[in-house]
Amino acid sequence: MATHVKTTINNEAVEFLCEPHESLSSVLRERLHLTGTKEGCTTGDCGACSVMLDDRLVCSCLVLGVETEGMSIDTVEGVAKADKLHPIQEKLLEHAALQCGICTPGIVVSAKALLEKKADPTEEEVRFWLAGNLCRCTGYDKIIRAVLDAASVLREEA
Amino acid sequence: MDSLQYFAPTTLQEAVQLLETNSGCRIMAGGTDLIVQMHIGTASPPAIVDIKKIPELNKLQLSDSDLLLGPAVSGASITEQADIAAIYPGLVEAIDLIGSTQVQGRCSVGGNLCNASPAADTVPSLIVNNAVCEIHGASGVREVAAESFNLGPGKNCLSEGEILSLIRLPKPVPGSADAYLRFIPRTEMDIAVVGAAVSVTIGGDGVCSAARVAIGAVAPTALLVPEAAKALVGTDLNDQALENAGAAASQAASPISDKRGTAEYRIKVVGVLTRRAAAIAKQRALQN
């Protein structure tokens, strides 16, 4: 039986109907058409579906839509402000840190969560934090450099 | 799966009632095992009871006498608390090894225990910390030691209608510390080939007065190895004592061969990890 769920998504009140078995990633993409969140493995291994749930980084494929009643969800769609990209997005472009792009929204959400928690991470900390975001194209080095570069931009802005 | 029912009770009593009236339903904490099992088709419960909205199951309370760990508390909310890591460093190391950052945001120690994987990272650490599991059911409350909680791969001691309501870890006496090591072929995002947890208590005279050793992924459940502890107690934890503890752990192991490693390999590695974990626990204990 479809359940009525009330949430806040990217700071806006959003209500939706979903079946109990539907994952949050599926609700975001198919019911709310927020297709920035990608579905890769649906088993919590690849991180393409990363979102923030009540300010905690999670794989949205491992969250049921019905669980999110009363919770706040932040997706990649909320990262850029108006027509201005977030420094992480800018730096991913600048470092050519994406090829097919499927992993990129998850990387953006995940890296942003790291930099909000830790403004000056070491390369090793970035690599460990992003271990749950698989990229099969880039070999990671460019992604790691872009995140470290974005961290320094954000520190200068702060 | 279309007929799945979802319940999110807000009290433990309500949860127990739901478990009683919904035969075959599954309890969900973080869902990082259950939702995967549902996706790949190895679980298709008629109903899910989500315990995350029950305040008392989200308890995380460190006191002078113990750590009260609610089964719904996420791994990340434990690992980011420095005061818990200072007292139970091995347990926190084990939690920190589960899955990715994303998985840590959802997975729970209670779920890791109840999922009953022989390779579960937190279980050996719970065992060496003398964790007691409080179980609620229609007929009341009972307590089970962490080493007796699981009965075999995927099988725990909960009867239908019962729920793990609290994990209680007594506070270690001064001069104590724990450590956990696991072996995987990469540095992150993998399942233990072998795991070993050790806790030791060292007196003012430098002699080990108490120890516990537990090993993972080398038997149908995580195992408490009293013989390995015996090899440590009464010694100053010299190299020979650590070596003897490792040999006892290898002796106690009865692993299977699978894609992660052969039985022979696991038996050897569990000895090495036990020795190394004991050395780390010793160093930490000397500072406590």
Side-chain angles (χ1 to χ4, degrees):
Chain A
M1 195 186 74
T3 305
H4 182 196
V5 181
K6 292 182 195 170
T7 60
T8 303
I9 302 183
N10 300 327
N11 297 317
E12 281 181 26
V14 175
E15 299 182 23
F16 56 83
L17 286 172
C18 77
E19 297 291 335
H21 69 266
E22 280 180 73
S23 64
L24 176 60
S25 54
S26 160
V27 168
L28 289 172
R29 290 180 55 79
E30 285 161 39
R31 293 197 182 260
L32 303 173
H33 308 294
L34 290 167
T35 54
T37 299
K38 304 303 178 195
E39 268 189 346
C41 64
T42 72
T43 51
D45 294 299
C46 78
C49 67
S50 298
V51 301
M52 300 301 285
L53 182 63
D54 274 356
D55 296 323
R56 183 77 77 192
L57 182 68
V58 301
C59 286
S60 58
C61 74
L62 294 189
V63 176
L64 299 174
V66 287
E67 278 184 70
T68 63
E69 170 67 36
M71 299 182 89
S72 78
I73 301 158
D74 293 291
T75 71
V76 71
E77 283 88 351
V79 174
K81 295 297 167 222
D83 59 351
K84 188 173 162 25
L85 291 178
H86 187 279
I88 293 170
Q89 295 169 312
E90 294 276 9
K91 290 297 175 188
L92 285 168
L93 285 171
E94 203 176 292
H95 286 263
L98 59 147
Q99 288 176 34
C100 86
I102 289 287
C103 73
T104 310
I107 303 261
V108 169
V109 171
S110 186
K112 183 166 177 278
L114 170 64
L115 299 186
E116 281 167 4
K117 200 177 154 82
K118 188 148 200 166
D120 192 7
T122 63
E123 179 186 332
E124 189 180 11
E125 285 168 335
V126 176
R127 286 185 185 273
F128 270 97
W129 184 273
L130 293 178
N133 291 89
L134 302 188
C135 171
R136 302 286 84 155
C137 304
T138 62
Y140 301 104
D141 275 359
K142 291 176 174 180
I143 294 171
I144 304 301
R145 283 201 290 272
V147 173
L148 289 168
D149 205 359
S152 76
V153 170
L154 286 163
R155 285 196 303 277
E156 280 162 26
E157 284 178 4
Chain B
M1 216 196 311
D2 286 343
S3 59
L4 179 72
Q5 280 189 290
Y6 170 81
F7 300 106
T10 53
T11 66
L12 184 53
Q13 193 187 6
E14 204 186 329
V16 170
Q17 279 164 3
L18 284 164
L19 295 173
E20 256 182 89
T21 49
N22 291 274
S23 179
C25 77
R26 291 283 299 266
I27 298 167
M28 179 169 82
T32 52
D33 286 307
L34 180 60
I35 295 176
V36 174
Q37 289 163 11
M38 285 164 51
H39 273 309
I40 63 177
T42 54
S44 47
I48 287 177
V49 176
D50 181 357
I51 60 169
K52 289 190 295 299
K53 319 267 180 188
I54 303 174
E56 65 180 296
L57 301 194
N58 280 297
K59 185 184 287 178
L60 181 60
Q61 193 181 310
L62 184 63
S63 74
D64 288 341
S65 56
D66 49 26
L67 171 66
L68 303 181
L69 178 50
V73 175
S74 74
S77 46
I78 303 168
T79 54
E80 63 199 15
Q81 262 190 248
D83 53 348
I84 297 177
I87 298 171
Y88 306 95
L91 174 67
V92 172
E93 268 160 3
I95 297 168
D96 205 23
L97 287 169
I98 301 174
S100 59
T101 315
Q102 287 86 337
V103 168
Q104 301 261 332
R106 295 265 296 169
C107 71
S108 68
V109 174
N112 197 228
L113 178 64
C114 290
N115 188 51
S117 162
D121 284 308
T122 64
V123 182
S125 291
L126 290 175
I127 293 173
V128 300
N129 279 296
N130 293 293
V132 175
C133 310
E134 187 184 282
I135 297 166
H136 264 75
S139 54
V141 185
R142 64 185 177 110
E143 290 188 342
V144 172
E147 59 267 33
S148 307
F149 190 88
N150 287 324
L151 308 174
K155 184 151 179 53
N156 61 41
C157 71
L158 297 179
S159 305
E160 185 149 321
E162 282 189 321
I163 181 169
L164 173 66
S165 49
L166 183 69
I167 302 170
R168 194 174 62 245
L169 291 87
K171 191 167 179 184
V173 298
S176 303
D178 70 332
Y180 175 74
L181 289 175
R182 79 165 175 193
F183 176 75
I184 55 173
R186 50 199 296 222
T187 45
E188 273 283 274
M189 297 288 288
D190 210 343
I191 291 168
V193 177
V194 174
V198 177
S199 72
V200 295
T201 304
I202 302 174
D205 55 0
V207 174
C208 173
S209 57
R212 277 168 80 85
V213 175
I215 53 181
V218 290
T221 64
L223 279 188
L224 178 67
V225 190
E227 299 75 18
K230 259 184 229 157
L232 300 173
V233 174
T235 75
D236 61 354
L237 300 176
N238 54 54
D239 290 351
Q240 188 58 52
L242 302 189
E243 197 69 48
N244 294 345
S250 289
Q251 185 74 36
S254 58
I256 55 166
S257 293
D258 66 9
K259 64 184 176 184
R260 295 200 174 82
T262 62
E264 190 186 12
Y265 180 72
R266 285 181 153 126
I267 287 170
K268 174 150 176 75
V269 173
V270 78
V272 175
L273 290 195
T274 298
R275 172 164 54 79
R276 290 182 187 169
I280 296 168
K282 173 190 171 184
Q283 288 312 317
R284 288 176 176 164
L286 288 171
Q287 286 158 21
N288 283 345

